[in-house]
Structure formats: C-alpha cells, structure tokens
Amino acid sequence: MTTTQAITQPFWLLAELTYRCPLHCVFCYNPTNYSKIQNELTTEEWIRVMTEARALGAAQLGFSGGEPLLREDLETLVKAARELGFYTNLITSGVGLNEKRIQALKQAGLDHIQLSFQDSTQEMNDFLSSTKTFELKKRVADLIKKYDYPMVMNVVLHRYNLPHVDKIIEMALALDAEYLELANTQYYGWAMENQDQLMPTHEQLQAAEQVVNDYRAKIGKRCKLLFVVPDYFEDRPKACMNGWGSVFLDIAPDGAALPCHNARQLPGLEIPNIKDYSIKEIWYESQAFNFFRGDAWMQEPCRSCEEKTKDFGGCRCQSFLLTGDAAATDPVCSKSPHNNVVKEIIVRNDKNALTQRPQGKKPIIFRTDKNSKELTRVLK
Amino acid sequence: MTEQTSESLPERPRLNRLFRLQWEEAQQAYVLLYPEGMVKLNVSAAEILKRCDGAHTIAAMVTELEQAFNTTGLRDQIEGMLRAAYEKDWIK
C-alpha cells in the first residue's frame, strides 16, 4: 500500500551561482559536463528565485558553486537574501576572499562562511605540505576571525588524505577552527569518474576514525570534529535530501531547478527552469519534483520496508549510477538485490590497494574545462 | 560520550553568534537559525532566548518574565531551559 502525503515546504535553497571555479578538485560533485552549461542567471533572476522560495517557507540559503566568489554580484545577492530573512551561508574555497570583499559581505549581512580545503594545484600528493595552500587558508582564516565569523572548515576525505587526517586536524587547530567537518567523498560527478582512485580501504577508514576519536577526547570543546562515514561502508543508505522534494531546492547556474545536486543525470526527469516557471509551480507541480515524492514509486524491498520512512530508499542518483535504475533500492542497503555491486567495489578496491595498484586502470581526472568538454563528447 | 552537566551557567547569557533568533512567518513561531539548520521554539523558550543578550543576568530575566506573564516561581523553569540551551551551545 502506498500513502499520499502532503507536500512539505522547501527549507533549504541552494543557489549554485556558477560552475566556474579556480580549482580543479578530483572529488567535485558538479556535473562532469558543466562546461556546456552556460548562460548564468542574472542578479534580478536570482533575486526573484530567492524571493519566491522565501515566500514558500525556505529559511536556509547556501551560496555555492563552483566558486561563488567569482560572481561579482555576490554582495548584492547576500544583501537581498538577508533582507528577505534568510540565514545566509557562503560555501567557498576562500580563493578570492580578500578584506574588501569580506567587509562588504559582512555589511550585506552574511551569516556564515564555510571554508573548504581543496587542492589549489594539480599535485595531489603535495596537498598537505603545500605551503601555498596553507598560507592562503591562513590569510582567509584570519579574515574570517577578524570579521567575527566562526571558523567552520570542511575537508573532503579520500584515499590520499585519509592517512593524514591527524595533520588535517592539526592544521584546523592551527587555524583556530571551531568546527571541522571531515566528509568522506560522495561518488557523483567528478568523484564518480575518479572512484577507483579516491576510494579508501576499509582499513584506512577505521584507522582515520580512530584518530578522529582520539583527537575528540584530547581537544574537547576547542574544535568540534564531525566525521561523515562514506555510505558504501554502511549497511543502510543515507536519507538522501531528507526525501525527494521534501526540503531541498537546488537552483543550478543556468536556472535549472533540481531536487538534488545531480538530478540532471537521471533519466525520465523533465528538469524545470526558473526562466519558464515560478518557484511555486516548480516545487508543487513540476514532474521532476513529484517524481520520487512519497513512496508510490518505490520497488521492493523498499515498498514493504518499515525503514522507508527513515531513509526514503536512499539516493536516487546512486541507484541509477550503480544499478542503471533510478527507482531501485539504493544498493548500499544490505537488503538491496544489488548490494553485491557495492560490496564488489569495496573488495576490488581493497585488493587494488594490497597489490599496490591504487591507480586502477584509468588515470585520475581533474575537474577542468578541457576534461569537461572531453567527457561531454564521450557522453553524447 | 558523557557531557559535563555540572558546569555553571554564564552570569549574563548571550546567544551564540552562530544562531539567529527570528519570527518565522511560515512556521508561525520563533525559530533559531544556525548553519544549515533551524529549531522551532515554543513561546517560553523564545521569550527566554530573546533576553540572552549579554546584558540581562538570569535574575533579571526571571524578574522580567514573571512580570510579563504575571506569575511567580519561574526561576527553576528558566534555569532548566537555559541549562539545556547551554548544553546545546545556543548560548555562551
């Protein structure tokens, strides 16, 4: 039996202002074909999006990208958002955040900055010892503090930096971070392309988790450490987006309205654009936002599973990427008939690590315009 | 993990700068907004948190709220709420 639930209000508006980015992170979740997505929304269009989403009840707003600081109207957008009553979050690599801009952002009413640590060079192994990166982050961290923002840092973890998680924590402490989110790579977009290279071994993960726990005991309240375990290693899927079309509304740089960051890749969805519809029409009436709402779309074992109200069947994109069927049970779930796909990836990966073939067969692919054009061509 | 609960409350509680207290029309309630989240507050919690401005002492809050609600004996309830807020890092 399926149930019809009332459509809830959107809560979280993610404004992906641009796909442009000065960095080339191999674990980026942006679509690999981003280079063909152009025609960024104008300032006025963004303000309309924010106004309409706020009227529907959205209270959290994330300015993201790409690198949102590349938008010269960021300050204008923050000001408008704040006046609408949004809690405004800037999700940034810090590249381009100088004193003039942070002062203007503060004045505009920006509530919060989340600083991510990424590679600013293509030399992965150089990442942690890269004084260039550290100096940049140090400068930005000092600015963040000077303007009385809490220092909240985010680091994406993968095979190459998991063994150095202690150094990452030390770096966060040296920067006086108050929160450090250690988020294991989620395999979408560029990260999926590079899965063979990025996926850690089970052993690495356990060791890293132990290090994090030891630090927690040692540093107490000085810096809060969040460690997000990759779902491949769990036996239940994540409650992706807290349910499809339930709280999360993502507007891509070109105005595409997405129920999740990667919805564009799912087959059968008619992705609405804010240039054609109001946010209200998109949220309540569009085919895409209703596609996986509720549980009528579910297959077994989800359909009759009592945990469906907890995890909503997991992640649609992951189901599609790993089983070819976006409506299938997330294969991370041990009840999924496709769970072996995930288990095989883990086993293959552990074996690769043992036989010293961490590179697998493919070379690592950096997020660059050139690679994006290349991948777009292959996809066609 | 055990939280320390015996810590004494700050003399003049102040809302943690990560949090913003505001009236939310869509919820018809006061809420606390913080990075990526929101807590819906009941009336008494909202009235207490409004006074966590770094100027009010707890005693002053009690007096003010007892006057506002025309009642007495609110101290325990207010301290209990503040303790919970302190443990959640809402106030400093």
Side-chain angles (χ1 to χ4, degrees):
Chain A
M1 208 187 87
T2 59
T3 48
T4 317
Q5 289 130 342
I7 297 174
T8 51
Q9 297 170 347
F11 170 63
W12 174 247
L13 171 63
L14 185 67
E16 294 187 306
L17 297 181
T18 179
Y19 282 140
R20 291 173 289 139
C21 188
L23 305 182
H24 305 288
C25 301
V26 294
F27 47 75
C28 183
Y29 67 74
N30 277 175
T32 50
N33 64 349
Y34 75 84
S35 61
K36 75 164 189 189
I37 298 162
Q38 282 149 4
N39 301 324
E40 287 181 11
L41 296 182
T42 63
T43 310
E44 292 69 34
E45 284 168 326
W46 275 117
I47 291 175
R48 175 170 74 77
V49 166
M50 297 190 299
T51 308
E52 292 180 5
R54 180 75 185 127
L56 295 189
Q60 289 283 342
L61 174 55
F63 291 107
S64 178
E67 173 49 65
L69 286 164
L70 289 177
R71 286 280 301 216
E72 283 169 14
D73 58 356
L74 180 62
E75 290 81 349
T76 310
L77 296 177
V78 168
K79 186 164 183 285
R82 203 31 222 277
E83 281 166 7
L84 288 165
F86 274 112
Y87 191 92
T88 50
N89 305 271
L90 176 63
I91 300 154
T92 179
S93 67
V95 178
L97 191 61
N98 54 31
E99 177 137 23
K100 199 173 149 221
R101 289 207 85 180
I102 196 169
Q103 196 172 23
L105 287 166
K106 184 84 191 184
Q107 211 159 25
L110 182 69
D111 289 295
H112 179 58
I113 301 174
Q114 182 190 294
L115 182 64
S116 57
F117 260 69
Q118 281 132 328
D119 309 296
S120 56
T121 70
Q122 292 205 357
E123 294 147 62
M124 289 284 286
N125 298 326
D126 203 29
F127 170 39
L128 285 161
S129 59
S130 166
T131 46
K132 201 173 138 201
T133 303
F134 185 79
E135 286 308 317
L136 165 77
K137 302 294 174 180
K138 179 82 183 115
R139 261 201 321 276
V140 172
D142 287 345
L143 280 176
I144 287 176
K145 228 173 277 290
K146 182 173 170 188
Y147 285 86
D148 198 33
Y149 284 109
M151 251 304 281
V152 177
M153 278 178 42
N154 175 290
V155 180
V156 176
L157 298 177
H158 44 71
R159 178 187 295 165
Y160 293 96
N161 60 13
L162 263 168
H164 313 292
V165 75
D166 56 334
K167 294 201 187 74
I168 294 173
I169 296 171
E170 287 294 345
M171 178 148 55
L173 294 173
L175 295 176
D176 270 332
E178 289 157 69
Y179 294 80
L180 173 63
E181 186 178 315
L182 297 158
N184 277 281
T185 304
Q186 307 234 34
Y187 297 103
Y188 308 103
W190 296 87
M192 189 65 189
E193 286 294 325
N194 290 309
Q195 187 178 50
D196 279 351
Q197 284 79 14
L198 296 178
M199 183 104 137
T201 64
H202 220 145
E203 216 177 0
Q204 280 186 320
L205 263 177
Q206 282 165 342
E209 204 165 3
Q210 187 56 49
V211 171
V212 172
N213 283 334
D214 291 347
Y215 265 97
R216 274 192 192 126
K218 202 165 82 184
I219 63 178
K221 268 195 162 186
R222 183 176 158 199
C223 176
K224 196 169 176 190
L225 304 177
L226 303 169
F227 187 77
V228 186
V229 180
D231 61 356
Y232 276 45
F233 295 88
E234 307 264 38
D235 59 6
R236 285 292 178 274
K238 57 181 177 282
C240 198
M241 299 295 129
N242 206 32
W244 186 270
S246 151
V247 290
F248 185 80
L249 170 64
D250 178 4
I251 306 296
D254 58 340
L258 308 170
C260 84
H261 310 81
N262 296 281
R264 240 193 266 251
Q265 67 180 356
L266 295 175
L269 288 186
E270 295 155 22
I271 302 291
N273 195 293
I274 69 101
K275 289 171 185 163
D276 308 316
Y277 302 98
S278 72
I279 298 296
K280 193 173 180 181
E281 288 169 318
I282 287 169
W283 184 258
Y284 288 98
E285 291 162 29
S286 72
Q287 181 255 19
F289 277 77
N290 282 301
F291 211 80
F292 296 114
R293 264 191 180 128
D295 55 14
W297 57 272
M298 285 183 186
Q299 306 172 355
E300 292 298 350
C302 285
R303 187 175 273 248
S304 58
C305 179
E306 58 188 26
E307 290 176 74
K308 69 181 172 185
T309 55
K310 247 176 32 199
D311 58 35
F312 315 103
C315 169
R316 297 307 91 228
C317 300
Q318 190 146 281
S319 296
F320 173 64
L321 285 171
L322 298 182
T323 77
D325 181 356
T329 296
D330 188 329
V332 157
C333 185
S334 63
K335 296 181 185 179
S336 158
H338 299 287
N339 185 236
N340 61 313
V341 176
V342 174
K343 293 282 176 284
E344 275 160 21
I345 291 172
I346 293 173
V347 169
R348 186 183 72 211
N349 184 60
D350 279 6
K351 211 187 291 172
N352 275 347
L354 272 178
T355 53
Q356 302 289 314
R357 291 196 303 118
Q359 300 295 330
K361 290 189 186 93
K362 292 195 302 183
I364 201 153
I365 302 168
F366 288 89
R367 179 202 198 272
T368 62
D369 291 356
K370 185 169 164 283
N371 286 337
S372 175
K373 286 183 187 121
E374 190 68 23
L375 286 165
T376 309
R377 214 161 42 95
V378 174
L379 285 170
K380 268 181 188 163
Chain B
M1 203 176 80
T2 50
E3 284 277 337
Q4 267 209 326
T5 49
S6 54
E7 277 179 275
S8 56
L9 285 169
E11 202 182 308
R12 295 168 194 273
R14 178 193 291 277
L15 202 60
N16 179 347
R17 71 199 192 295
L18 263 183
F19 294 82
R20 195 166 86 219
L21 177 70
Q22 77 180 28
W23 174 258
E24 195 63 11
E25 199 59 35
Q27 306 287 332
Q28 285 298 302
Y30 276 96
V31 298
L32 268 188
L33 289 165
Y34 55 93
E36 302 182 22
M38 177 171 79
V39 188
K40 195 169 161 177
L41 300 169
N42 61 29
V43 176
S44 48
E47 288 305 319
I48 296 168
L49 288 176
K50 272 187 208 170
R51 289 165 174 80
C52 291
D53 53 6
H56 282 76
T57 60
I58 297 173
M61 277 186 212
V62 174
T63 312
E64 239 182 75
L65 288 167
E66 285 179 349
Q67 274 170 11
F69 290 91
N70 197 18
T71 183
T72 55
L74 289 183
R75 172 167 277 275
D76 283 357
Q77 194 195 334
I78 292 172
E79 280 192 357
M81 194 274 154
L82 286 172
R83 201 166 293 284
Y86 188 64
E87 274 163 30
K88 290 191 172 100
D89 261 349
W90 295 354
I91 55 171
K92 295 268 179 196

